[in-house]
Amino acid sequence: MNEALARPAVVSHISDLIGYTPLMELCRTETGSRLLLKLEMYNPTGSAKIRMARAMVDAAEQDGTLGPGGRIIESTSGNTGLGLAVIAAERGYTFTAVVDNHAAADKLRGMKALGTELVYVVDDGTEELATAAREELAEDMARGEDNTIFTEQHNNPANGVGYFPVAHELHQALDGDIDVVIGAVGTGGMLCGTTRELRKLHPDFTTIGVEPKGSIAFGGPAHDYYQSGTGTPEGAEIGALVDFDLIDEGVKVGDVEAFATCRAVARTGLLIGGSAGGVVHEALTRLPALEPGATMVALINDGGEKYMDTVFNDDWMKARGLLDPEAEREIDEILTKLRRN
């Protein structure tokens, strides 16, 4: 890795550790097509979203809307909030996260440990995903307040800009050998931001977006889902960062398949988050049909450590009708076969 994209040997801020995340080959076919995972859990806070959290704060500082001692407000299901909590702590800002109980408990506990003020849009213990209500409350809280910003991740251009370095990291590591990029679509920042910048460096690849069944970005029907931090639930607006011109194909993966994939991948030694399970499930389905020697890169937003109470908890899974040992066995078999090649 050249010096321009190398992490310093000694850093003075946690945010200096953002980026330079590894690529891991999960498996390959008999014809040499391979699935590489961009492991974003190796960022501080264990998620890709600290990349865009820093970019949004940088942009607010540069345009003068956020000054010393200011306050940041964001609606979050957890990972964006964790990223903003770190940046706020480093730079002396107050951070308020508007949340609901759909978020993984460890994410909420992590934000609080980092000094975040948590404001629940509903506090009755229900697990309903309340994206639209969260965003409305966050906007209301920031309106008219001095030196206070609502970062509005779903419509903030800096969100996408924050992922431009991912494109450069991929291009450098693979020397342009990229045929497919596949990733989850929530705000759209990671997949579309990476794609936008990567096409300047290497225009000939396909981008596939993955959302949960029940999400509406790629059409209906709408219904509840348990994959956290991804998708667009009914009643929420599709964010400005979701650029359909940059996504060659949009697909849906259900909670059962996504979580079964997480649990099967864990048995290879790697813990991935719920939305990443959906991405890997779709990638494994498509890998055998790729041209010989093709490279597919899956963007893995976060690790599975934050989902011990949910995806990796048999009781939680059974109570919601999500535990499917047969689906797990099918993924186990696919992985076993492909990892032998």
Side-chain angles (χ1 to χ4, degrees):
M1 184 176 288
N2 65 32
E3 291 184 359
L5 285 179
R7 177 178 289 156
V10 178
V11 302
S12 55
H13 297 91
I14 292 297
S15 61
D16 294 334
L17 298 172
I18 295 172
Y20 323 107
T21 54
L23 281 164
M24 188 192 86
E25 182 178 298
L26 180 64
C27 54
R28 67 168 58 210
T29 67
E30 293 179 349
T31 63
S33 296
R34 56 183 181 162
L35 172 58
L36 304 183
L37 308 183
K38 180 66 165 162
L39 298 178
E40 287 290 289
M41 69 278 280
Y42 287 96
N43 283 300
T45 72
S47 166
K49 292 195 173 183
I50 195 170
R51 292 182 185 262
M52 63 92 148
R54 179 174 63 179
M56 292 192 300
V57 175
D58 285 346
E61 291 174 343
Q62 290 162 12
D63 68 19
T65 55
L66 183 65
R71 183 186 186 194
I72 301 165
I73 301 175
E74 181 55 272
S75 158
T76 177
S77 60
N79 280 329
T80 299
L82 285 166
L84 286 169
V86 168
I87 304 304
E90 287 185 346
R91 302 187 188 184
Y93 300 124
T94 299
F95 173 49
T96 299
V98 181
V99 300
D100 54 40
N101 286 300
H102 187 270
D106 277 348
K107 295 179 185 178
L108 299 173
R109 288 191 285 259
M111 283 189 283
K112 190 172 182 180
L114 288 163
T116 301
E117 175 195 21
L118 299 182
V119 175
Y120 287 83
V121 69
V122 289
D123 200 16
D124 56 5
T126 61
E127 295 180 338
E128 181 182 356
L129 179 58
T131 303
R134 286 196 330 245
E135 292 179 355
E136 182 178 353
L137 178 57
E139 184 176 13
D140 286 346
M141 290 175 66
R143 186 179 294 113
E145 296 294 322
D146 292 337
N147 201 14
T148 298
I149 60 164
F150 169 34
T151 42
E152 198 178 0
Q153 59 175 314
H154 285 85
N155 296 304
N156 190 326
N159 177 343
V161 173
Y163 294 108
F164 286 2
V166 177
H168 291 272
E169 291 169 27
L170 291 175
H171 183 71
Q172 178 179 276
L174 299 174
D175 195 27
D177 181 18
I178 305 169
D179 299 285
V180 180
V181 174
I182 183 168
V185 176
T187 69
M190 184 175 190
L191 185 63
C192 295
T194 299
T195 294
R196 183 180 301 280
E197 188 71 2
L198 189 56
R199 285 190 175 160
K200 298 176 184 176
L201 306 168
H202 172 67
D204 190 20
F205 67 93
T206 298
T207 294
I208 299 170
V210 181
E211 69 173 349
K213 289 181 179 178
S215 175
I216 62 170
F218 302 133
H223 56 75
D224 292 342
Y225 55 86
Y226 287 99
Q227 293 172 63
S228 176
T230 188
T232 306
E234 186 175 21
E237 293 184 5
I238 298 171
L241 280 300
V242 180
D243 189 337
F244 294 102
D245 291 336
L246 293 172
I247 301 172
D248 297 296
E249 186 177 353
V251 299
K252 296 174 180 285
V253 176
D255 290 333
V256 170
E257 294 79 13
F259 295 167
T261 303
C262 293
R263 292 162 68 97
V265 169
R267 290 188 279 272
T268 72
L270 176 67
L271 290 170
I272 61 174
S275 65
V279 171
V280 173
H281 185 275
E282 185 66 25
L284 290 172
T285 300
R286 292 169 175 265
L287 188 63
L290 295 183
E291 293 292 326
T295 296
M296 175 185 285
V297 176
L299 303 176
I300 304 302
N301 180 66
D302 69 351
E305 293 83 355
K306 299 166 187 167
Y307 305 96
M308 292 297 115
D309 293 334
T310 54
V311 175
F312 298 103
N313 182 314
D314 287 1
D315 292 337
W316 186 92
M317 293 279 287
K318 287 176 183 176
R320 291 154 183 80
L322 300 174
L323 190 64
D324 190 333
E326 181 57 33
E328 291 182 40
R329 281 193 290 271
E330 290 175 3
I331 301 299
D332 280 330
E333 290 172 3
I334 292 170
L335 287 169
T336 299
K337 177 182 177 181
L338 292 175
R339 286 170 69 84
R340 286 194 189 119
N341 293 321

